[in-house]
Amino acid sequence: MTVTRPVVVGLDGSKPATHAVRWAAEEAVRRKTGLVITHTCVLVPARTLELIAPAESYADGVLEEGRQWLADATAAALNAAPEVDVTTELSAGNAAERLIGRSASAGLLALGSHGRGGFTGLLAGSTAVAVTAHARCPVVVVRGTEPAPDAPVLVGVDGSPASHAALAFAFEAATSRGVALHAVRTWWDLTAETAWQRGLTATNLAAIEAAEQRLLAEQVADHSAAHPDVPVQQILTRDRPAHTLVEHSAHAQLAVVGTRGRGGFRGLLLGSTSQALLHHAHCPVGVVRST
């Protein structure tokens, strides 16, 4: 018997984390699996000549606060998806390290865009960035406003191994939601002056665009054949990938990218496009690494 890995969501008591819990509960139902809400307490030792462990009363208070957050989050999850099977986990330590370790047995890891120490509405928090870079399963950072239920799933396509993994994830997401998929490929990252210096005439550019359109169609074709019920819109633009994807994310319910694209440096865990989306997208962002 195959056991489906759960959706795991990190909790820190912030509003973005509660938003992520609700999103994760609905996602767990779509995946026909359970939801695990996990919270890691930070027990700060006293700073003296020698590190002194926190007083027992302080530790008890922090753990009790964590238990209350988990109870509130469970209620929020059941309100969003009454049929979801919820379990909770409470631990002490470093939140990012715990979540990265937990990702080894998760089907999907969900996080709020920023935690209790973050600036409202601005950039992704340090925990979200660290976990996305190192997790062993796909990660969704839940950000933006509530999308329309029929909004498409957006995916960035560049031909890299991580991009192929992102395409597979995005098609599954579109299938489970019963919505269309918008596959985006960009090929223009030159100024008009640079193009002139390289001798790129209108004829050259038309030929490049036609070749890029064929590559996009080829990359989508295999996945589309496995998901014939998903309507696909192929979008080819002359623009920087991050700018195009952030712009299109305003009309999507999920944007999916690979951890690192074809231009990424070996050993760099998150590429510039995935980082830009984590910080600026208008909808939840899924980051998928190649297997």
Side-chain angles (χ1 to χ4, degrees), residues 41 43 54-67 90:
C41 298
L43 302 177
E56 187 175 336
S57 59
Y58 164 75
D60 288 344
V62 172
L63 290 169
E64 180 55 35
E65 181 180 51
R67 282 188 283 270
L90 180 64

Side-chain angles (χ1 to χ4, degrees), residues 16-37:
T18 302
H19 184 34
V21 166
R22 290 192 290 266
W23 185 94
E26 294 173 347
E27 181 65 15
V29 171
R30 281 189 289 264
R31 290 170 169 252
K32 298 181 173 59
T33 189
L35 173 68
V36 178
I37 307 174

